């Protein structure tokens, strides 16, 4: 893998900013570069430029915008090594984790929204013939761009969960300002460079580097905000959006349960549990964070998972295939993981694999398997967001469902059984925005399938029609072509017409509701 060195993207909008952020490589502890923290005035100026640029981008139309997005798709593939390099350097994740999600998801999203925006945002005709009050009038639903969209992103997928959410907003004809995480801003700056090179008009996509204060400032200047991050910050974002009276969409934390039934394909379930709890070093909002296994297969499942996880290689991601599990990207996250493991152990949990941080120059936590866990422990109740897999024995699937739902979160969940009909029925009883049967995380690749959290995991969703319509203002049009000079409900009011209308209502609605 090439070293980032001179290729680190440069922040271009920092004129006037005084504070800076040091961006480090979590796998080596090395300083990569610094980027400016944009203040309120810079964000305001940026928003004014975005607002001025937006109408022309809207006028270009779906095909014009699709051409730019397709050029970006090609650019990403042509520059795959550089893209992966930047993501790996500032996140400490493996080349494979960066390739699958940050590169793979984003190139797929660029193509998907380039093609589907027109379909999802086409004018819709709604019938008027079935309502005598408006019969004959033309009724249309139109999706107009929101204007300037603010996207605020986390550090765990510096491209997929930041720029990835900008793509449908751009396809819908909006200008976008992206506030990336202060921990991983370089990937977003690279996306800004990419969009410039691909012919996106100036100021239609801008990156506002900075910390929480920059994100907070942004909310006051945009027409809607798409936030991905922790539940705690999500609440602050929603309060700020209420003050600004703009819509906000929140993709927040999770504590995804995996329910393994006695008739599951145990090898597949164990391999999936090992992978989907440890990919991206467990720093995935839809990571398998807790597992419930029916008693008859519990021991065998634990043996298989422990074997898999004890064989994982961890360390600095020096190239493709070098390691399986990368670094802990965000310094405080290491404390959270450590605290959850210690809390569990102090309450009786047993560590079968790992259970400690590592001492090399970078920031790592060993892949960890825990058993003898229960719901008095933080590791079963709070988002750990690290390479841990706590496994709990349940007497039957009813107990598993009850425990799966015993959570403030409701992002995703999975059910594992060879009886897929039963699996689907059980899935419908789990309180989560997405439930997979004999799978996990793969729904994220189905861009036509909505993905969003229930309970404390979020509001609204990405992907599918809802994933682009949220970046629009709905406008309803009613067009009257032929009509009398004066309609019966108009002035002047006359008792005879009033009674006539009352009889008409009785006739229309007296025998129950009409459409
Ligand atoms: P975070 O909430 O700490 O920060 C997210 C972003 O919000 C950052 O860019 C930060 O600078 C900004 N921010 C902080 N305070 C702000 C404020 N007051 N106003 C506006 N912006 C503010 O989250 P994080 O630690 O970067 O990310 C990890 C979290 O993200 C985890 O909880 C994870 O589950 C969640 N996540 C969710 C999804 C999903 O799709 N549901 C996807 C990825 C990550």
């Amino acid at each position: 893998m090439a070293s980032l060195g001179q290729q680190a993207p440069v922040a271009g909008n920092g004129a006037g900013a005084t504070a800076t952020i040091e961006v480090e490589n979590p796998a080596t502890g090395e300083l990569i570069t610094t980027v400016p923290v944009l203040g309120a005035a810079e964000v305001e100026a940026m928003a004014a430029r975005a607002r001025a640029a937006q109408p022309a981008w809207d006028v270009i139309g779906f095909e014009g915008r699709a051409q730019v997005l397709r050029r970006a798709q090609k650019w990403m593939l042509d520059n795959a090594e550089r893209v992966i390099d930047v993501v790996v350097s500032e996140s400490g994740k493996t080349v494979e984790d960066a390739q699958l999600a940050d590169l793979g998801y984003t190139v797929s999203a660029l193509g998907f929204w380039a093609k589907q925006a027109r379909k999802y945002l086409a004018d819709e005709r709604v019938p008027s013939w079935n309502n005598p009050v408006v019969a004959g009038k033309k009724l249309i639903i139109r999706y107009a761009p929101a204007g300037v969209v603010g996207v605020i992103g986390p550090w765990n997928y510096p491209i997929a969960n930041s720029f990835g959410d900008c793509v449908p907003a751009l396809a819908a004809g909006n200008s976008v300002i992206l506030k990336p995480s202060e921990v991983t801003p370089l990937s977003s700056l690279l996306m800004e460079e990419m969009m410039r090179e691909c012919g996106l008009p100036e100021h239609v996509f801008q990156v506002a580097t900075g910390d929480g204060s920059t994100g907070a400032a942004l909310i006051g200047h945009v027409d809607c905000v798409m936030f991905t991050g922790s539940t705690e910050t999500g609440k602050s974002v929603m309060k700020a959006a209420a003050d600004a009276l703009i819509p906000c969409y929140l993709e927040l934390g999770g504590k995804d349960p995996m329910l393994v039934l006695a008739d599951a394909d145990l090898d597949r379930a164990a391999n999936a549990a090992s992978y989907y709890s440890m990919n991206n070093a467990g720093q995935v909002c839809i990571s398998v964070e807790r597992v419930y296994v029916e008693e008859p297969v519990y021991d065998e499942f634990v043996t298989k998972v422990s074997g898999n996880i004890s064989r994982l290689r961890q360390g600095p991601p020096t190239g493709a295939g070098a390691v399986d599990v990368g670094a802990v990207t965000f310094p405080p996250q290491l404390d959270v993981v450590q605290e959850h493991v210690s809390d569990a152990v102090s309450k009786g949990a047993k560590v079968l694999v790992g259970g400690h941080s590592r001492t090399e120059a970078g920031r790592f936590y060993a892949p960890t398997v825990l058993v003898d866990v229960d719901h008095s422990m933080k590791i079963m109740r709070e988002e750990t967001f690290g390479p841990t897999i706590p496994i709990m024995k349940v007497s039957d699937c009813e107990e598993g469902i009850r425990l799966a739902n015993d959570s403030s979160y409701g992002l995703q969940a999975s059910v594992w059984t060879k009886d897929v009909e039963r699996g689907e029925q059980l899935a419908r009883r789990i309180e989560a925005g997405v439930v997979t049967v004999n799978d996990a995380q793969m729904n994220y690749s189905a861009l036509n399938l909505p993905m969003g959290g229930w309970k404390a995991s979020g509001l609204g969703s990405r992907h599918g029609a809802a994933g682009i319509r949220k970046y629009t203002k709905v406008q309803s049009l009613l067009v009257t072509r032929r009509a009398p000079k004066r309609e019966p409900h108009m002035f002047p009011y006359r008792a005879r017409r009033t009674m006539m209308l009352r009889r008409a209502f009785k006739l229309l609605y007296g025998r129950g509701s009409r459409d």
Side-chain angles (χ1 to χ4, degrees), residues 153-155 161 179 182 227-230 233 251-252 285 383 462:
W155 46 260
N161 283 151
K179 207 303 276 177
E182 52 272 49
F227 171 83
T228 304
S230 64
T233 312
E251 297 288 349
L252 309 177
C285 54
E383 188 180 48
R462 51 164 73 91

Side-chain angles (χ1 to χ4, degrees), residues 152-157 161 179-183 210-217 219 227-234 236-237 240 250-254 284-286 330 333 383 385 409 411 444 451 453 457 462:
I152 301 174
W155 46 260
N156 61 326
Y157 284 108
N161 283 151
K179 207 303 276 177
S181 166
E182 52 272 49
V183 186
D211 55 19
S213 66
T214 311
I219 298 170
F227 171 83
T228 304
S230 64
T231 297
E232 247 355 89
T233 312
S236 306
V237 167
L250 307 173
E251 297 288 349
L252 309 177
V284 188
C285 54
I286 51 175
F330 184 44
Q333 204 61 43
E383 188 180 48
F385 221 58
Y409 292 110
L411 193 54
Y444 208 89
M451 181 267 169
S457 290
R462 51 164 73 91

Side-chain angles (χ1 to χ4, degrees), residues 22-44:
E22 295 193 335
V23 184
E24 65 147 31
N25 183 330
T28 61
E30 286 160 6
L31 176 70
I32 302 173
T33 186
T34 59
V35 298
V37 176
L38 298 199
E42 283 111 4
V43 170
E44 187 176 357

Side-chain angles (χ1 to χ4, degrees), residues 404-407 409-411 427-433 435 454-455:
N405 288 339
D406 180 25
S407 173
Y409 292 110
L411 193 54
R428 288 165 192 265
R429 293 173 54 199
I430 297 183
E431 294 159 6
V435 187
W454 289 7
K455 303 201 268 189

Side-chain angles (χ1 to χ4, degrees), residues 53 108 121 124 268 291 408 464:
S108 153
L121 302 184
E124 284 173 39
R268 176 168 168 78
V291 187
S408 57

Side-chain angles (χ1 to χ4, degrees), residues 24 75 142 181 301 378 406 426 431 443 457 463 472 495:
E24 65 147 31
W75 190 101
R142 176 208 164 203
S181 166
F301 180 84
K378 289 181 181 174
D406 180 25
L426 294 173
E431 294 159 6
N443 58 289
S457 290
H463 303 162
T472 66

Side-chain angles (χ1 to χ4, degrees), residues 301-313:
F301 180 84
V302 168
T303 305
K304 285 179 193 291
V305 170
S306 301
N308 286 343
I309 292 195
S310 61
R311 286 189 290 274
L312 294 177
R313 300 159 303 150

